[in-house]
Amino acid sequence: MTSSRKSQWLAPAGLIVLSLVPVIAAFVRGAELASRPEVTPDNARFVTAPVPIVLHIVGSILFSVLGALQFAPSLRRRRWHRYAGRLVVPSGIAVAGSGLWMTLTYALPPIEDSGLSVIRVVVSTGMLLCLVLGFVAVRRRDFTTHRAWMMRAYALGLGAGTQAFTFGFWTVAVGEPGVLAYALLMLAAWLINLAVAEWFIARGKPRPKAGRSSFGRITGDAGDGRPVPRSTASRG
């Protein structure tokens, strides 16, 4: 594999590493539910109503891993991208929909308050909207818009990975977060992901080609911003 091809896999590899946090958490929670644990105050909401958390677990694994591979240019130029996308979109909907379901129906743990619930509702709704708009765009064959909305959806879906860093830095520097700090650290991770996504979206936008018009190659302008064709500009 050449160095250029290796560099193309840096972004997918980094995203897969970042997605290990939600994937491992999903496996741990899934193994706990499969073992039919004793109901405790910490797991009561999951054990007594397992459907949304199971949807969230399965959706998170598929969305995180397959979504990361969608950033590989070599795969994006093949049919694999389209086929994988047929799993990425529904798995993302499962993640956002189940997150919204759990937020609205599960009892809040002591560390969370209604403010964080509002943030979760906004994030889950925003992710659903991004997925729908991304799907609509690709149906119109507007691939640039499709790419932008799917990147935003993936950024929101991968919030748990970045939250491991925001909480880790806070815990090392300050200690265990309180209720307000907990909500702000969760929000910070989603905002960081969105900011990075927007940077990549802006960087990847096609730039208008300068130097050409319907008249042919441009060598100057008419003084009022209008292009001048080569034949006119060369007359002196």
Side-chain angles (χ1 to χ4, degrees):
M1 184 180 292
T2 63
S3 58
S4 61
R5 293 191 64 185
K6 287 181 180 179
S7 64
Q8 293 179 3
W9 284 93
L10 289 177
L15 291 172
I16 288 176
V17 170
L18 189 62
S19 70
L20 286 178
V21 175
V23 167
I24 292 173
F27 273 117
V28 170
R29 183 65 69 182
E32 180 186 0
L33 290 174
S35 65
R36 296 183 178 181
E38 180 182 352
V39 179
T40 66
D42 291 332
N43 67 11
R45 61 191 188 279
F46 303 124
V47 177
T48 57
V51 174
I53 188 63
V54 170
L55 286 174
H56 202 72
I57 289 169
V58 175
S60 294
I61 294 171
L62 290 174
F63 188 71
S64 298
V65 177
L66 291 179
L69 294 176
Q70 297 291 71
F71 289 87
S74 58
L75 295 179
R76 205 161 53 237
R77 290 190 290 266
R78 301 177 184 176
R79 290 183 179 180
W80 187 94
H81 180 81
R82 183 187 304 172
Y83 295 146
R86 293 171 182 172
L87 284 175
V88 170
V89 172
S91 64
I93 291 173
V95 172
S98 60
L100 193 59
W101 185 355
M102 289 187 290
T103 300
L104 297 176
T105 60
Y106 279 1
L108 292 176
I111 194 62
E112 298 183 14
D113 63 0
S114 57
L116 180 55
S117 295
V118 172
I119 293 172
R120 288 185 187 275
V121 168
V122 171
V123 170
S124 297
T125 305
M127 183 176 170
L128 284 171
L129 181 62
C130 290
L131 290 166
V132 170
L133 291 174
F135 177 77
V136 171
V138 79
R139 295 292 294 176
R140 295 198 314 261
R141 303 189 67 79
D142 183 355
F143 300 115
T144 300
T145 302
H146 164 74
R147 175 179 177 270
W149 285 117
M150 293 304 295
M151 287 181 71
R152 294 180 182 113
Y154 191 74
L156 292 173
L158 210 61
T162 308
Q163 284 157 9
F165 290 96
T166 57
F167 279 95
F169 290 139
W170 179 274
T171 302
V172 170
V174 180
E176 290 297 323
V179 174
L180 178 60
Y182 188 92
L184 292 177
L185 290 169
M186 297 279 283
L187 177 61
W190 282 309
L191 293 178
I192 290 169
N193 283 9
L194 278 179
V196 173
E198 291 298 333
W199 183 81
F200 275 103
I201 291 168
R203 185 183 178 195
K205 283 183 178 178
R207 298 176 181 176
K209 294 181 179 179
R212 288 187 179 273
S213 75
S214 58
F215 298 101
R217 186 176 298 276
I218 305 304
T219 59
D221 61 51
D224 57 0
R226 292 183 293 108
V228 180
R230 175 195 289 258
S231 57
T232 304
S234 60
R235 290 176 185 173

Short mmCIF file of all heavy atoms in Angstrom, two decimals, residues 61-121:
data_model
loop_
_atom_site.label_atom_id
_atom_site.label_comp_id
_atom_site.label_asym_id
_atom_site.label_seq_id
_atom_site.Cartn_x
_atom_site.Cartn_y
_atom_site.Cartn_z
N ILE A 61 -23.56 0.29 17.13
CA ILE A 61 -22.45 -0.50 16.59
C ILE A 61 -22.39 -0.38 15.07
O ILE A 61 -21.34 -0.10 14.49
CB ILE A 61 -22.60 -1.98 17.02
CG1 ILE A 61 -22.42 -2.11 18.55
CG2 ILE A 61 -21.57 -2.85 16.30
CD1 ILE A 61 -22.76 -3.48 19.09
N LEU A 62 -23.53 -0.57 14.40
CA LEU A 62 -23.56 -0.49 12.94
C LEU A 62 -23.25 0.92 12.46
O LEU A 62 -22.44 1.12 11.54
CB LEU A 62 -24.94 -0.92 12.43
CG LEU A 62 -25.28 -2.40 12.56
CD1 LEU A 62 -26.73 -2.64 12.14
CD2 LEU A 62 -24.35 -3.26 11.72
N PHE A 63 -23.86 1.91 13.08
CA PHE A 63 -23.68 3.29 12.64
C PHE A 63 -22.25 3.77 12.84
O PHE A 63 -21.68 4.43 11.97
CB PHE A 63 -24.65 4.19 13.39
CG PHE A 63 -24.70 5.60 12.88
CD1 PHE A 63 -25.28 5.89 11.65
CD2 PHE A 63 -24.17 6.65 13.62
CE1 PHE A 63 -25.33 7.20 11.17
CE2 PHE A 63 -24.22 7.96 13.15
CZ PHE A 63 -24.80 8.23 11.92
N SER A 64 -21.66 3.43 13.98
CA SER A 64 -20.31 3.89 14.28
C SER A 64 -19.28 3.28 13.33
O SER A 64 -18.45 4.00 12.76
CB SER A 64 -19.94 3.55 15.72
OG SER A 64 -20.79 4.20 16.63
N VAL A 65 -19.33 1.97 13.14
CA VAL A 65 -18.31 1.29 12.34
C VAL A 65 -18.51 1.51 10.85
O VAL A 65 -17.60 1.92 10.13
CB VAL A 65 -18.28 -0.21 12.68
CG1 VAL A 65 -17.27 -0.94 11.81
CG2 VAL A 65 -17.95 -0.42 14.16
N LEU A 66 -19.73 1.24 10.36
CA LEU A 66 -19.99 1.42 8.94
C LEU A 66 -19.88 2.89 8.55
O LEU A 66 -19.41 3.22 7.46
CB LEU A 66 -21.37 0.88 8.59
CG LEU A 66 -21.54 -0.64 8.66
CD1 LEU A 66 -22.98 -1.03 8.31
CD2 LEU A 66 -20.57 -1.36 7.74
N GLY A 67 -20.32 3.77 9.43
CA GLY A 67 -20.22 5.20 9.15
C GLY A 67 -18.78 5.65 9.01
O GLY A 67 -18.46 6.48 8.15
N ALA A 68 -17.90 5.11 9.83
CA ALA A 68 -16.48 5.47 9.73
C ALA A 68 -15.90 5.02 8.39
O ALA A 68 -15.12 5.74 7.75
CB ALA A 68 -15.70 4.84 10.88
N LEU A 69 -16.28 3.83 7.94
CA LEU A 69 -15.75 3.32 6.66
C LEU A 69 -16.26 4.11 5.47
O LEU A 69 -15.63 4.10 4.41
CB LEU A 69 -16.13 1.84 6.52
CG LEU A 69 -15.49 0.88 7.53
CD1 LEU A 69 -16.02 -0.53 7.34
CD2 LEU A 69 -13.97 0.90 7.41
N GLN A 70 -17.38 4.81 5.62
CA GLN A 70 -17.89 5.63 4.53
C GLN A 70 -16.97 6.80 4.20
O GLN A 70 -17.11 7.42 3.14
CB GLN A 70 -19.28 6.18 4.88
CG GLN A 70 -20.36 5.12 5.07
CD GLN A 70 -20.72 4.43 3.77
OE1 GLN A 70 -19.95 3.64 3.24
NE2 GLN A 70 -21.89 4.71 3.27
N PHE A 71 -16.03 7.11 5.09
CA PHE A 71 -15.10 8.21 4.86
C PHE A 71 -13.87 7.76 4.08
O PHE A 71 -13.00 8.59 3.78
CB PHE A 71 -14.66 8.83 6.18
CG PHE A 71 -15.74 9.62 6.86
CD1 PHE A 71 -16.64 9.03 7.71
CD2 PHE A 71 -15.87 10.99 6.62
CE1 PHE A 71 -17.65 9.75 8.34
CE2 PHE A 71 -16.87 11.73 7.23
CZ PHE A 71 -17.76 11.11 8.09
N ALA A 72 -13.76 6.48 3.76
CA ALA A 72 -12.62 5.98 2.98
C ALA A 72 -12.84 6.27 1.50
O ALA A 72 -13.79 5.75 0.91
CB ALA A 72 -12.44 4.48 3.21
N PRO A 73 -12.00 7.10 0.86
CA PRO A 73 -12.22 7.45 -0.55
C PRO A 73 -12.28 6.23 -1.46
O PRO A 73 -13.08 6.20 -2.40
CB PRO A 73 -11.01 8.33 -0.89
CG PRO A 73 -10.58 8.90 0.43
CD PRO A 73 -10.85 7.81 1.43
N SER A 74 -11.45 5.23 -1.21
CA SER A 74 -11.43 4.05 -2.08
C SER A 74 -12.75 3.28 -2.02
O SER A 74 -13.19 2.70 -3.01
CB SER A 74 -10.27 3.13 -1.72
OG SER A 74 -10.36 2.73 -0.36
N LEU A 75 -13.40 3.27 -0.85
CA LEU A 75 -14.70 2.61 -0.73
C LEU A 75 -15.82 3.48 -1.26
O LEU A 75 -16.83 2.99 -1.76
CB LEU A 75 -14.97 2.24 0.73
CG LEU A 75 -14.04 1.20 1.36
CD1 LEU A 75 -14.41 0.96 2.82
CD2 LEU A 75 -14.10 -0.11 0.58
N ARG A 76 -15.66 4.81 -1.11
CA ARG A 76 -16.70 5.73 -1.54
C ARG A 76 -16.87 5.70 -3.06
O ARG A 76 -17.95 6.04 -3.57
CB ARG A 76 -16.36 7.14 -1.07
CG ARG A 76 -17.56 8.02 -0.92
CD ARG A 76 -17.30 9.24 -0.05
NE ARG A 76 -16.15 10.01 -0.45
CZ ARG A 76 -15.11 10.27 0.34
NH1 ARG A 76 -15.08 9.80 1.58
NH2 ARG A 76 -14.10 10.99 -0.08
N ARG A 77 -15.83 5.30 -3.79
CA ARG A 77 -15.92 5.25 -5.25
C ARG A 77 -16.47 3.93 -5.75
O ARG A 77 -16.58 3.72 -6.95
CB ARG A 77 -14.54 5.51 -5.85
CG ARG A 77 -14.04 6.94 -5.68
CD ARG A 77 -12.80 7.18 -6.50
NE ARG A 77 -11.65 6.46 -5.96
CZ ARG A 77 -10.77 7.00 -5.10
NH1 ARG A 77 -10.93 8.24 -4.69
NH2 ARG A 77 -9.75 6.30 -4.69
N ARG A 78 -16.83 3.03 -4.83
CA ARG A 78 -17.34 1.73 -5.23
C ARG A 78 -18.80 1.57 -4.80
O ARG A 78 -19.35 2.38 -4.08
CB ARG A 78 -16.49 0.62 -4.59
CG ARG A 78 -15.01 0.69 -4.98
CD ARG A 78 -14.21 -0.37 -4.26
NE ARG A 78 -12.78 -0.27 -4.55
CZ ARG A 78 -11.86 -1.03 -3.99
NH1 ARG A 78 -12.20 -1.93 -3.09
NH2 ARG A 78 -10.58 -0.88 -4.31
N ARG A 79 -19.39 0.45 -5.26
CA ARG A 79 -20.78 0.18 -4.90
C ARG A 79 -20.94 -0.07 -3.41
O ARG A 79 -22.02 0.06 -2.87
CB ARG A 79 -21.30 -1.04 -5.69
CG ARG A 79 -21.49 -0.76 -7.18
CD ARG A 79 -22.07 -1.98 -7.87
NE ARG A 79 -22.28 -1.71 -9.29
CZ ARG A 79 -22.77 -2.61 -10.12
NH1 ARG A 79 -23.07 -3.83 -9.69
NH2 ARG A 79 -22.94 -2.31 -11.40
N TRP A 80 -19.83 -0.45 -2.75
CA TRP A 80 -19.90 -0.73 -1.31
C TRP A 80 -20.47 0.45 -0.57
O TRP A 80 -21.24 0.27 0.38
CB TRP A 80 -18.50 -1.06 -0.79
CG TRP A 80 -18.49 -1.52 0.64
CD1 TRP A 80 -18.53 -2.80 1.08
CD2 TRP A 80 -18.48 -0.69 1.82
NE1 TRP A 80 -18.54 -2.83 2.45
CE2 TRP A 80 -18.50 -1.55 2.93
CE3 TRP A 80 -18.43 0.68 2.03
CZ2 TRP A 80 -18.49 -1.08 4.24
CZ3 TRP A 80 -18.44 1.16 3.33
CH2 TRP A 80 -18.45 0.29 4.41
N HIS A 81 -20.11 1.65 -0.97
CA HIS A 81 -20.59 2.85 -0.28
C HIS A 81 -22.12 2.92 -0.31
O HIS A 81 -22.76 3.23 0.70
CB HIS A 81 -19.99 4.09 -0.95
CG HIS A 81 -20.42 5.38 -0.32
ND1 HIS A 81 -19.83 5.89 0.81
CD2 HIS A 81 -21.38 6.27 -0.67
CE1 HIS A 81 -20.42 7.04 1.13
NE2 HIS A 81 -21.37 7.28 0.25
N ARG A 82 -22.69 2.61 -1.47
CA ARG A 82 -24.15 2.66 -1.59
C ARG A 82 -24.81 1.57 -0.76
O ARG A 82 -25.79 1.82 -0.07
CB ARG A 82 -24.54 2.51 -3.06
CG ARG A 82 -26.03 2.62 -3.32
CD ARG A 82 -26.36 2.30 -4.76
NE ARG A 82 -25.62 3.16 -5.68
CZ ARG A 82 -25.61 2.96 -7.00
NH1 ARG A 82 -26.26 1.93 -7.53
NH2 ARG A 82 -24.94 3.80 -7.78
N TYR A 83 -24.26 0.36 -0.85
CA TYR A 83 -24.86 -0.75 -0.11
C TYR A 83 -24.75 -0.54 1.40
O TYR A 83 -25.69 -0.78 2.16
CB TYR A 83 -24.22 -2.07 -0.51
CG TYR A 83 -24.46 -2.45 -1.95
CD1 TYR A 83 -23.50 -3.14 -2.69
CD2 TYR A 83 -25.66 -2.12 -2.58
CE1 TYR A 83 -23.72 -3.48 -4.02
CE2 TYR A 83 -25.89 -2.46 -3.91
CZ TYR A 83 -24.92 -3.14 -4.62
OH TYR A 83 -25.15 -3.47 -5.93
N ALA A 84 -23.58 -0.08 1.86
CA ALA A 84 -23.40 0.17 3.29
C ALA A 84 -24.30 1.30 3.75
O ALA A 84 -24.81 1.29 4.88
CB ALA A 84 -21.93 0.51 3.58
N GLY A 85 -24.51 2.30 2.87
CA GLY A 85 -25.39 3.41 3.22
C GLY A 85 -26.80 2.97 3.52
O GLY A 85 -27.50 3.62 4.31
N ARG A 86 -27.22 1.87 2.91
CA ARG A 86 -28.56 1.35 3.17
C ARG A 86 -28.69 0.77 4.57
O ARG A 86 -29.80 0.54 5.06
CB ARG A 86 -28.92 0.29 2.13
CG ARG A 86 -29.08 0.89 0.73
CD ARG A 86 -29.22 -0.17 -0.33
NE ARG A 86 -29.32 0.44 -1.66
CZ ARG A 86 -29.30 -0.25 -2.80
NH1 ARG A 86 -29.18 -1.57 -2.77
NH2 ARG A 86 -29.38 0.39 -3.96
N LEU A 87 -27.55 0.53 5.21
CA LEU A 87 -27.56 0.13 6.62
C LEU A 87 -27.25 1.31 7.54
O LEU A 87 -27.76 1.39 8.65
CB LEU A 87 -26.52 -0.97 6.86
CG LEU A 87 -26.89 -2.37 6.40
CD1 LEU A 87 -25.71 -3.32 6.61
CD2 LEU A 87 -28.11 -2.90 7.13
N VAL A 88 -26.40 2.22 7.05
CA VAL A 88 -26.00 3.36 7.88
C VAL A 88 -27.21 4.24 8.22
O VAL A 88 -27.39 4.65 9.37
CB VAL A 88 -24.91 4.20 7.18
CG1 VAL A 88 -24.67 5.51 7.91
CG2 VAL A 88 -23.61 3.41 7.10
N VAL A 89 -28.03 4.55 7.22
CA VAL A 89 -29.17 5.44 7.47
C VAL A 89 -30.17 4.84 8.46
O VAL A 89 -30.52 5.47 9.46
CB VAL A 89 -29.86 5.84 6.15
CG1 VAL A 89 -31.16 6.59 6.42
CG2 VAL A 89 -28.93 6.71 5.31
N PRO A 90 -30.66 3.60 8.25
CA PRO A 90 -31.60 3.05 9.24
C PRO A 90 -30.99 2.83 10.61
O PRO A 90 -31.66 2.99 11.63
CB PRO A 90 -32.07 1.73 8.62
CG PRO A 90 -31.13 1.43 7.53
CD PRO A 90 -30.54 2.72 7.07
N SER A 91 -29.69 2.47 10.66
CA SER A 91 -29.06 2.30 11.97
C SER A 91 -28.93 3.64 12.68
O SER A 91 -29.09 3.74 13.90
CB SER A 91 -27.70 1.62 11.83
OG SER A 91 -26.80 2.43 11.10
N GLY A 92 -28.65 4.71 11.92
CA GLY A 92 -28.61 6.04 12.51
C GLY A 92 -29.97 6.47 13.02
O GLY A 92 -30.08 7.09 14.09
N ILE A 93 -31.02 6.14 12.27
CA ILE A 93 -32.38 6.45 12.72
C ILE A 93 -32.69 5.68 14.00
O ILE A 93 -33.34 6.21 14.92
CB ILE A 93 -33.39 6.13 11.61
CG1 ILE A 93 -33.23 7.12 10.46
CG2 ILE A 93 -34.82 6.15 12.14
CD1 ILE A 93 -34.08 6.80 9.24
N ALA A 94 -32.22 4.43 14.07
CA ALA A 94 -32.42 3.64 15.29
C ALA A 94 -31.71 4.27 16.48
O ALA A 94 -32.25 4.31 17.59
CB ALA A 94 -31.92 2.21 15.07
N VAL A 95 -30.49 4.78 16.26
CA VAL A 95 -29.74 5.43 17.34
C VAL A 95 -30.47 6.67 17.83
O VAL A 95 -30.71 6.84 19.03
CB VAL A 95 -28.32 5.79 16.87
CG1 VAL A 95 -27.60 6.65 17.91
CG2 VAL A 95 -27.51 4.53 16.60
N ALA A 96 -30.82 7.56 16.89
CA ALA A 96 -31.46 8.82 17.28
C ALA A 96 -32.86 8.58 17.83
O ALA A 96 -33.25 9.19 18.84
CB ALA A 96 -31.52 9.74 16.07
N GLY A 97 -33.61 7.70 17.20
CA GLY A 97 -34.98 7.43 17.65
C GLY A 97 -35.02 6.78 19.02
O GLY A 97 -35.83 7.18 19.88
N SER A 98 -34.15 5.81 19.24
CA SER A 98 -34.12 5.16 20.56
C SER A 98 -33.59 6.11 21.62
O SER A 98 -34.02 6.06 22.78
CB SER A 98 -33.27 3.89 20.50
OG SER A 98 -31.93 4.18 20.12
N GLY A 99 -32.65 6.99 21.24
CA GLY A 99 -32.17 7.98 22.19
C GLY A 99 -33.28 8.92 22.62
O GLY A 99 -33.41 9.26 23.81
N LEU A 100 -34.09 9.32 21.66
CA LEU A 100 -35.25 10.17 21.97
C LEU A 100 -36.25 9.42 22.83
O LEU A 100 -36.81 9.97 23.80
CB LEU A 100 -35.89 10.62 20.66
CG LEU A 100 -36.92 11.74 20.71
CD1 LEU A 100 -36.32 13.01 21.29
CD2 LEU A 100 -37.47 11.99 19.32
N TRP A 101 -36.48 8.17 22.51
CA TRP A 101 -37.40 7.32 23.27
C TRP A 101 -36.96 7.21 24.72
O TRP A 101 -37.76 7.39 25.65
CB TRP A 101 -37.46 5.95 22.58
CG TRP A 101 -38.43 4.95 23.14
CD1 TRP A 101 -39.23 5.08 24.25
CD2 TRP A 101 -38.71 3.67 22.59
NE1 TRP A 101 -39.97 3.94 24.43
CE2 TRP A 101 -39.68 3.06 23.43
CE3 TRP A 101 -38.22 2.96 21.49
CZ2 TRP A 101 -40.16 1.77 23.18
CZ3 TRP A 101 -38.72 1.68 21.25
CH2 TRP A 101 -39.67 1.10 22.08
N MET A 102 -35.68 6.90 24.92
CA MET A 102 -35.19 6.73 26.28
C MET A 102 -35.23 8.04 27.07
O MET A 102 -35.55 8.06 28.26
CB MET A 102 -33.75 6.18 26.25
CG MET A 102 -33.66 4.73 25.81
SD MET A 102 -31.99 4.02 25.96
CE MET A 102 -31.14 4.91 24.65
N THR A 103 -34.91 9.14 26.38
CA THR A 103 -34.93 10.44 27.06
C THR A 103 -36.32 10.78 27.57
O THR A 103 -36.48 11.32 28.68
CB THR A 103 -34.44 11.54 26.10
OG1 THR A 103 -33.10 11.24 25.70
CG2 THR A 103 -34.46 12.90 26.78
N LEU A 104 -37.33 10.46 26.78
CA LEU A 104 -38.70 10.84 27.11
C LEU A 104 -39.40 9.86 28.06
O LEU A 104 -40.41 10.21 28.67
CB LEU A 104 -39.53 10.99 25.83
CG LEU A 104 -39.08 12.09 24.86
CD1 LEU A 104 -39.92 12.07 23.60
CD2 LEU A 104 -39.14 13.46 25.53
N THR A 105 -38.87 8.63 28.17
CA THR A 105 -39.58 7.62 28.97
C THR A 105 -38.81 7.09 30.17
O THR A 105 -39.43 6.68 31.15
CB THR A 105 -39.98 6.43 28.08
OG1 THR A 105 -38.81 5.82 27.52
CG2 THR A 105 -40.90 6.87 26.95
N TYR A 106 -37.48 7.09 30.11
CA TYR A 106 -36.70 6.54 31.21
C TYR A 106 -36.62 7.55 32.36
O TYR A 106 -36.56 8.76 32.14
CB TYR A 106 -35.28 6.20 30.77
CG TYR A 106 -35.14 4.88 30.04
CD1 TYR A 106 -36.24 4.06 29.80
CD2 TYR A 106 -33.90 4.45 29.60
CE1 TYR A 106 -36.10 2.85 29.14
CE2 TYR A 106 -33.74 3.23 28.93
CZ TYR A 106 -34.85 2.45 28.69
OH TYR A 106 -34.71 1.25 28.04
N ALA A 107 -36.58 7.02 33.58
CA ALA A 107 -36.36 7.88 34.76
C ALA A 107 -34.93 8.40 34.73
O ALA A 107 -33.99 7.71 34.32
CB ALA A 107 -36.61 7.08 36.03
N LEU A 108 -34.77 9.64 35.15
CA LEU A 108 -33.45 10.26 35.14
C LEU A 108 -32.58 9.73 36.28
O LEU A 108 -33.03 9.64 37.42
CB LEU A 108 -33.57 11.78 35.28
CG LEU A 108 -34.20 12.53 34.11
CD1 LEU A 108 -34.33 14.01 34.47
CD2 LEU A 108 -33.38 12.37 32.85
N PRO A 109 -31.31 9.40 36.00
CA PRO A 109 -30.38 9.08 37.08
C PRO A 109 -30.05 10.34 37.87
O PRO A 109 -30.26 11.45 37.38
CB PRO A 109 -29.15 8.52 36.35
CG PRO A 109 -29.23 9.11 34.99
CD PRO A 109 -30.69 9.27 34.67
N PRO A 110 -29.52 10.21 39.09
CA PRO A 110 -29.27 11.39 39.93
C PRO A 110 -28.36 12.44 39.31
O PRO A 110 -28.51 13.63 39.58
CB PRO A 110 -28.63 10.79 41.19
CG PRO A 110 -29.10 9.37 41.23
CD PRO A 110 -29.22 8.95 39.80
N ILE A 111 -27.42 12.03 38.44
CA ILE A 111 -26.46 12.97 37.88
C ILE A 111 -27.06 13.80 36.75
O ILE A 111 -26.46 14.78 36.31
CB ILE A 111 -25.21 12.21 37.39
CG1 ILE A 111 -24.04 13.17 37.11
CG2 ILE A 111 -25.53 11.40 36.14
CD1 ILE A 111 -23.56 13.93 38.31
N GLU A 112 -28.22 13.44 36.26
CA GLU A 112 -28.83 14.15 35.14
C GLU A 112 -30.04 14.95 35.60
O GLU A 112 -30.71 14.59 36.57
CB GLU A 112 -29.24 13.17 34.04
CG GLU A 112 -28.07 12.41 33.43
CD GLU A 112 -28.49 11.50 32.29
OE1 GLU A 112 -29.63 11.66 31.79
OE2 GLU A 112 -27.70 10.61 31.91
N ASP A 113 -30.32 16.05 34.88
CA ASP A 113 -31.49 16.86 35.19
C ASP A 113 -32.27 17.15 33.92
O ASP A 113 -31.91 16.68 32.83
CB ASP A 113 -31.09 18.16 35.90
CG ASP A 113 -30.22 19.07 35.02
OD1 ASP A 113 -29.94 18.68 33.86
OD2 ASP A 113 -29.83 20.15 35.49
N SER A 114 -33.32 17.92 34.05
CA SER A 114 -34.18 18.20 32.90
C SER A 114 -33.45 19.01 31.82
O SER A 114 -33.79 18.92 30.64
CB SER A 114 -35.44 18.95 33.36
OG SER A 114 -35.08 20.15 34.03
N GLY A 115 -32.45 19.80 32.23
CA GLY A 115 -31.68 20.56 31.25
C GLY A 115 -30.97 19.64 30.27
O GLY A 115 -30.97 19.88 29.05
N LEU A 116 -30.36 18.57 30.78
CA LEU A 116 -29.69 17.61 29.91
C LEU A 116 -30.71 16.88 29.04
O LEU A 116 -30.43 16.56 27.88
CB LEU A 116 -28.86 16.63 30.73
CG LEU A 116 -28.10 15.55 29.95
CD1 LEU A 116 -27.20 16.18 28.89
CD2 LEU A 116 -27.29 14.67 30.89
N SER A 117 -31.88 16.63 29.59
CA SER A 117 -32.93 15.97 28.80
C SER A 117 -33.31 16.82 27.59
O SER A 117 -33.50 16.31 26.48
CB SER A 117 -34.17 15.71 29.67
OG SER A 117 -33.88 14.78 30.69
N VAL A 118 -33.40 18.13 27.79
CA VAL A 118 -33.71 19.03 26.69
C VAL A 118 -32.60 18.96 25.64
O VAL A 118 -32.87 18.91 24.42
CB VAL A 118 -33.90 20.48 27.19
CG1 VAL A 118 -34.02 21.45 26.01
CG2 VAL A 118 -35.13 20.57 28.08
N ILE A 119 -31.35 18.95 26.08
CA ILE A 119 -30.22 18.86 25.15
C ILE A 119 -30.28 17.56 24.36
O ILE A 119 -30.08 17.54 23.14
CB ILE A 119 -28.89 18.96 25.92
CG1 ILE A 119 -28.73 20.35 26.53
CG2 ILE A 119 -27.70 18.66 25.00
CD1 ILE A 119 -27.55 20.48 27.47
N ARG A 120 -30.58 16.46 25.04
CA ARG A 120 -30.67 15.17 24.37
C ARG A 120 -31.78 15.16 23.32
O ARG A 120 -31.62 14.61 22.23
CB ARG A 120 -30.92 14.06 25.39
CG ARG A 120 -29.73 13.71 26.28
CD ARG A 120 -30.11 12.53 27.16
NE ARG A 120 -29.11 12.22 28.15
CZ ARG A 120 -28.03 11.46 27.95
NH1 ARG A 120 -27.81 10.96 26.72
NH2 ARG A 120 -27.17 11.21 28.91
N VAL A 121 -32.92 15.77 23.66
CA VAL A 121 -34.03 15.84 22.70
C VAL A 121 -33.62 16.62 21.46
O VAL A 121 -33.90 16.22 20.32
CB VAL A 121 -35.29 16.46 23.36
CG1 VAL A 121 -36.34 16.80 22.30
CG2 VAL A 121 -35.87 15.52 24.40
#
